[in-house]
């Protein structure tokens, strides 16, 4: 870009009290302390308490889903969601290589393998068209579902990720996956508050998974949530994430292998206070996105904006630079001035544990890997 110094000045004016300007640090301006003290006073600080129930109700309302289940983090929500849609050891899951490692780790935790399919340039998320090309070449329908002709393994799920809060082209992806009888689990970890054609992300697939980590748009410190419109799946999610304990007033009976993935009431209290502020947080971030849009237009740099018929939460804002060299210069100069920009993730098949996995050409993913840089995106 023409003048990185002008960007540094702009960012510093938006966060005037910060010596080091982080990518996305949490802001606590509501009832956080009040609810935390209330939780401590109640002595219900662990995995049972009124704030866990309230958090689940608030997530249901926010996502327009019928059931939300609080869990300990976003990775846990993905791991359980995949099991709930039928992913079994030895199966395969279609997903994207341009993602945070948790997306793919959740597949591995189910003893399944990822198939890496390319992303779309406009969304930076899983490309329905690339999925269709792959399935037309390698998919084989059998009585119990779709199989990969190359490996002979069942493709048990499709796991798109809404990158930085920008929604994937979900209608086309749903159409393709329904044709091939592949359930969709949405990795909505980064997209709380985002919408696709008027529907909340996380509510379009069979199951959605969210993260409330410390760097997310709202946080519980550490936490996640599973959401669904299928009440039976929701009931099963709650059962599995609470050690598969059969309800009883005093006996301990567990009827299958479950997980101790319960969100503590302390974390839920923090999350409830944060969720109350989500509308104002999104308004603040969208105003920042507008400032960036105008600035980068004068610099001749592509600032990533939401697409028509979508609403992005602008969790992490980003620019697309001309090439790898420009990206390296940008990162070095901004970080040297304590403006903590960062590159997009290294593609998952470059990691040693996933280097052997099947993938398509990844033309778009590699293009974006070389050019995308995240900007400070926190609430001002």
């Amino acid at each position: 870009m023409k003048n990185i110094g002008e960007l540094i000045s702009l960012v510093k004016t938006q966060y005037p009290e910060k010596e080091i300007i982080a990518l996305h640090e949490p802001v606590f301006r509501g009832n956080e302390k009040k609810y935390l003290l209330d939780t401590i006073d109640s002595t219900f600080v662990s995995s049972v308490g009124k704030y866990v129930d309230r958090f689940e109700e608030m997530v249901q309302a926010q996502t327009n889903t019928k059931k939300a289940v609080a869990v300990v983090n976003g990775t846990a929500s993905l791991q359980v969601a995949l099991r709930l849609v039928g992913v079994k050891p030895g199966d395969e899951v279609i997903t994207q290589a341009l993602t945070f490692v948790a997306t793919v780790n959740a597949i591995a935790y189910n003893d399944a393998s990822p198939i890496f399919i390319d992303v779309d340039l406009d969304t930076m998320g899983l490309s329905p068209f690339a999925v269709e090309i792959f399935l037309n070449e390698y998919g084989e329908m059998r009585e119990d579902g779709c199989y990969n002709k190359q490996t002979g393994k069942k493709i048990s799920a499709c796991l798109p990720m809404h990158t930085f809060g920008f929604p994937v082209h979900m209608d086309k992806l749903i159409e393709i996956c329904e044709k091939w009888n592949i359930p969709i689990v949405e990795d909505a970890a980064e997209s709380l508050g985002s919408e696709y054609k008027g529907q909340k992300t996380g509510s379009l697939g069979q199951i959605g998974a969210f993260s409330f980590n410390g760097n997310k748009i709202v946080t519980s410190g550490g936490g996640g949530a599973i959401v669904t419109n299928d009440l039976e799946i929701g009931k099963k999610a709650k059962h599995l994430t609470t050690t598969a304990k059969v309800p009883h007033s005093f006996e301990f009976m567990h009827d299958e292998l479950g997980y101790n993935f319960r969100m503590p009431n302390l974390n839920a209290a923090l999350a409830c206070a944060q969720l109350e502020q989500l509308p104002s947080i999104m308004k603040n971030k969208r105003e920042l996105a507008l400032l960036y849009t105008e600035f980068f237009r004068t610099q001749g740099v592509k600032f990533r904006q939401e697409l028509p018929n979508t609403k992005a939460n602008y969790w992490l804002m980003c620019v697309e630079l001309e090439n790898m060299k420009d990206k390296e210069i940008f990162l070095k100069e901004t970080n040297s001035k304590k403006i903590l920009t960062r590159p997009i993730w290294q593609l998952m098949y470059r990691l040693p544990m996933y280097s052997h996995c099947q993938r398509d050409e990844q033309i778009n993913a590699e293009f974006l890997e070389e050019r995308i840089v995240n900007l400070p995106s926190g609430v001002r």
Side-chain angles (χ1 to χ4, degrees):
M1 59 179 287
K2 298 175 186 176
N3 193 332
I4 297 176
E6 289 183 14
L7 172 64
I8 291 169
S9 296
L10 172 67
V11 173
K12 286 185 174 180
T13 63
Q14 299 306 307
Y15 303 93
E17 298 178 359
K18 300 290 184 182
E19 181 180 351
I20 299 175
I21 301 173
L23 200 65
H24 198 286
E25 65 181 19
V27 173
F28 305 115
R29 297 173 180 170
N31 290 313
E32 289 89 353
K33 290 182 181 179
K34 176 183 176 183
Y35 292 170
L36 286 169
L37 288 173
D38 182 42
T39 306
I40 292 168
D41 289 342
S42 76
T43 73
F44 285 91
V45 296
S46 190
S47 55
V48 175
K50 68 178 183 180
Y51 286 106
V52 174
D53 298 335
R54 183 178 173 188
F55 169 75
E56 292 179 338
E57 292 168 359
M58 293 178 77
V59 172
Q60 284 169 216
Q62 168 58 39
T63 59
N64 291 331
T65 52
K66 294 180 180 178
K67 181 64 177 177
V69 176
V71 294
V72 69
N73 55 49
T75 309
S77 66
L78 286 168
Q79 179 181 343
V80 176
L82 289 169
R83 178 173 164 182
L84 288 166
V85 298
V87 175
K88 294 181 173 58
D91 288 353
E92 295 177 332
V93 176
I94 290 172
T95 193
Q96 59 203 67
L98 190 73
T99 187
F100 180 58
V101 72
T103 307
V104 189
N105 284 348
I107 298 169
Y109 295 156
N110 281 281
D111 295 318
S113 299
I115 301 170
F116 295 122
I117 303 299
D118 207 358
V119 296
D120 284 321
L121 286 175
D122 57 356
T123 68
M124 300 180 286
L126 186 64
S127 170
F129 310 99
V131 171
E132 185 172 41
I133 290 168
F134 175 85
L135 289 171
N136 285 338
E137 181 174 358
Y138 294 103
E140 178 181 81
M141 288 302 300
R142 301 182 188 175
E143 286 186 9
D144 62 336
C146 179
Y147 281 75
N148 185 339
K149 287 190 287 189
Q150 179 167 298
T151 63
K153 295 181 178 182
K154 186 177 182 181
I155 302 174
S156 293
C158 178
L159 182 57
M161 199 272 282
H162 302 296
T163 305
F164 305 142
F166 295 101
V168 168
H169 293 296
M170 286 299 296
D171 52 359
K172 182 64 175 176
L173 186 63
I174 290 167
E175 176 189 326
I176 293 162
C177 288
E178 285 181 347
K179 175 183 175 182
W180 289 93
N181 195 24
I182 300 172
I184 294 175
V185 172
E186 287 179 77
D187 184 346
E190 302 176 356
S191 68
L192 183 72
S194 296
E195 298 178 12
Y196 176 79
K197 295 186 176 180
Q199 291 182 267
K200 300 287 188 178
T201 56
S203 71
L204 295 112
Q206 278 85 337
I207 305 178
F210 289 92
S211 171
F212 294 86
N213 187 40
N215 66 346
K216 294 300 186 290
I217 188 165
V218 299
T219 184
S220 56
I226 299 165
V227 300
T228 182
N229 283 308
D230 185 319
L231 292 176
E232 284 302 309
I233 287 179
K235 182 179 178 181
K236 182 75 169 179
K238 189 69 170 179
H239 184 61
L240 287 178
T241 57
T242 54
T243 69
K245 184 180 183 295
V246 178
H248 195 280
S249 58
F250 54 86
E251 293 287 357
F252 286 87
M253 171 62 186
H254 307 263
D255 59 2
E256 61 182 308
L257 178 63
Y259 313 95
N260 188 8
F261 285 168
R262 298 169 291 185
M263 177 187 281
N265 199 38
L266 271 172
N267 296 83
L270 185 63
C272 288
Q274 288 269 288
L275 281 167
E276 290 173 349
Q277 301 166 76
L278 182 58
S280 63
I281 289 171
M282 285 192 62
K283 181 176 182 292
N284 186 296
K285 289 170 69 64
R286 291 175 69 82
E287 289 171 353
L288 177 60
L290 185 59
L291 282 174
Y292 277 143
T293 300
E294 296 302 320
F295 172 80
F296 284 110
R297 183 178 291 123
T298 67
Q299 297 286 321
V301 175
K302 184 176 182 179
F303 175 75
R304 285 289 180 150
Q305 296 175 268
E306 63 192 8
L307 298 178
N309 297 315
T310 73
K311 181 178 182 180
N313 67 0
Y314 285 104
W315 170 56
L316 286 187
M317 303 175 208
C318 59
V319 289
E320 180 185 310
L321 300 174
E322 286 294 322
N323 50 52
M324 179 77 79
K325 182 179 178 181
D326 282 359
K327 184 183 81 169
E328 294 303 322
I329 292 170
F330 186 97
L331 288 167
K332 184 177 180 179
E333 289 197 26
T334 51
N335 281 277
S336 71
K337 300 298 183 182
K338 299 182 180 181
I339 308 293
L340 304 188
T341 59
R342 76 168 195 194
I344 205 166
W345 314 279
Q346 190 173 68
L347 297 177
M348 292 297 102
Y349 56 80
R350 302 197 195 283
L351 305 183
M353 59 281 200
Y354 300 122
S355 61
H356 64 285
C357 296
Q358 187 177 7
R359 65 179 189 267
D360 62 9
E361 292 187 85
Q362 299 289 307
I363 294 170
N364 293 343
E366 292 185 0
F367 177 91
L368 294 168
E369 181 190 33
E370 292 180 356
R371 293 165 174 81
I372 293 294
V373 173
N374 291 123
L375 307 166
S377 306
V379 173
R380 298 159 296 156

